[in-house]
Amino acid sequence: MRPKFLKKLAEMEHKKMIMYPLIVFVVALLILAVKPPTLGIDLAGGVVVTAQGVSTNPDEVAKYVSDKLGIEVRVESFTSLAGGGINVYAPAGSSPEDIISVLKEKFPDAKYAQSEVQPTFGEMAQKQGIKAISYAFLGMAIVVFLFFRVLVPSFTVIFSAISDMIIAVALMSLVGIELSQATIAALLMLIGYSVDSNILLTTKLLKKKEDTIKEAYFSAVSTGFTMSTTTLGALASLWLISTAPVIDQIAVVLVFGLLADFMNTWVLNAGVLKWYLSRGEKQ
């Protein structure tokens, strides 16, 4: 038995299927223009002080350190097999020794470690991240064009992957997730997820063995929804169980991207393919 919303999608006019996701894409671009995501310390440079064996409210520690040193810091708690603790993130130019000295007044028994990323290294990491994403898209575009050898469907697959990434970054900006090397890795993973579902749909509709476009769409969407839903379940479980902020961020970014991929694959790409195939049938 087919869910009602899938029947509605299959019967929706192709102009509406194309228009709605494009509106969301434009809104995401506007969000990024107004409020781009904050760069993490590994991209912008800065200082990280780790205090092992501390169990406290991170917001209170951030206020305490900021009041003492007059600098804005961000504090995150973590748990590990060696015990819990906190990470204090401070901007480039801050003195890790001063931060440790202040923390020792409040947590004298904690074990401290420090690391520092110079702004020049952060800038290099930014360039490498941009290069990695550009090469990934270029490689994906070449494979897609070689596989389908048809301009409109190939372009739509590539655009869907770009839209997934733009929407995910816009949502990151809204909820305050930093753009870091970890979240860039998550965005790169999105390309794979996006291309999988779009190639499934495009292949089913272009080489349809079913009698109608609608039947081919139902066949693809049943498999695609199962794939994406199981992945979303795994990511949601990871986010709920994990206590590591980096893993949480990766899981959340992938969830954002997969939700965007639902729309861009089964609405936008399906709408373009319905238009493209119906145009061919008329000719």
Side-chain angles (χ1 to χ4, degrees):
M1 185 176 175
R2 290 160 177 166
K4 286 183 179 178
F5 75 97
L6 290 183
K7 288 183 179 178
K8 286 184 179 178
L9 273 180
E11 293 165 358
M12 188 184 289
E13 189 184 352
H14 66 262
K15 287 183 181 176
K16 291 182 180 176
M17 296 179 80
I18 297 170
M19 182 177 66
Y20 294 151
L22 287 180
I23 291 173
V24 176
F25 175 71
V26 172
V27 170
L29 286 178
L30 291 174
I31 290 171
L32 289 177
V34 175
K35 189 177 183 299
T38 307
L39 296 180
I41 281 180
D42 50 355
L43 296 183
V47 170
V48 183
V49 172
T50 300
Q52 190 90 31
V54 173
S55 177
T56 184
N57 185 322
D59 293 335
E60 290 179 1
V61 177
K63 186 175 184 308
Y64 168 75
V65 175
S66 296
D67 290 344
K68 285 278 189 180
L69 297 177
I71 56 172
E72 288 296 322
V73 300
R74 180 170 57 84
V75 180
E76 290 180 353
S77 60
F78 66 88
T79 57
S80 68
L81 293 176
I86 56 172
N87 284 324
V88 180
Y89 301 91
S94 305
S95 167
E97 291 79 13
D98 289 348
I99 296 173
I100 292 173
S101 175
V102 166
L103 288 174
K104 278 185 175 177
E105 293 177 10
K106 199 173 180 66
F107 310 107
D109 298 328
K111 294 179 180 176
Y112 293 95
Q114 65 185 62
S115 60
E116 190 170 359
V117 178
Q118 295 296 331
T120 49
F121 287 106
E123 193 175 335
M124 285 174 58
Q126 286 182 47
K127 289 178 181 175
Q128 288 174 354
I130 292 170
K131 194 182 289 185
I133 290 175
S134 302
Y135 286 163
F137 266 107
L138 181 63
M140 180 265 288
I142 291 171
V143 172
V144 168
F145 274 113
L146 288 176
F147 185 75
F148 291 114
R149 298 177 186 274
V150 191
L151 187 61
V152 173
S154 301
F155 175 77
T156 311
V157 171
I158 296 165
F159 179 80
S160 295
I162 294 172
S163 181
D164 288 351
M165 195 174 287
I166 294 290
I167 293 170
V169 176
L171 291 172
M172 282 170 56
S173 175
L174 287 179
V175 302
I177 295 178
E178 293 179 341
L179 189 63
S180 62
Q181 292 183 21
T183 50
I184 286 176
L187 292 172
L188 285 170
M189 282 187 260
L190 271 183
I191 297 175
Y193 285 120
S194 173
V195 171
D196 279 352
S197 56
N198 278 286
I199 285 182
L200 171 68
L201 174 68
T202 307
T203 304
K204 278 281 187 183
L205 265 65
L206 287 184
K207 302 176 181 178
K208 64 179 188 292
K209 297 177 181 176
E210 294 78 3
D211 294 333
T212 63
I213 296 173
K214 186 176 173 182
E215 287 299 319
Y217 175 79
F218 273 131
S219 174
V221 79
S222 300
T223 307
F225 260 51
T226 304
M227 288 164 49
S228 298
T229 305
T230 51
T231 307
L232 276 174
L235 291 171
S237 302
L238 181 66
W239 178 72
L240 287 171
I241 294 170
S242 167
T243 54
V246 172
I247 294 177
D248 286 347
Q249 289 176 2
I250 290 174
V252 172
V253 172
L254 287 173
V255 168
F256 287 160
L258 283 176
L259 291 176
D261 189 54
F262 270 121
M263 177 187 69
N264 285 319
T265 300
W266 308 111
V267 183
L268 173 65
N269 194 8
V272 172
L273 288 169
K274 282 169 73 174
W275 164 77
Y276 179 78
L277 293 171
S278 60
R279 186 167 159 265
E281 287 174 356
K282 286 178 184 175
Q283 292 173 351

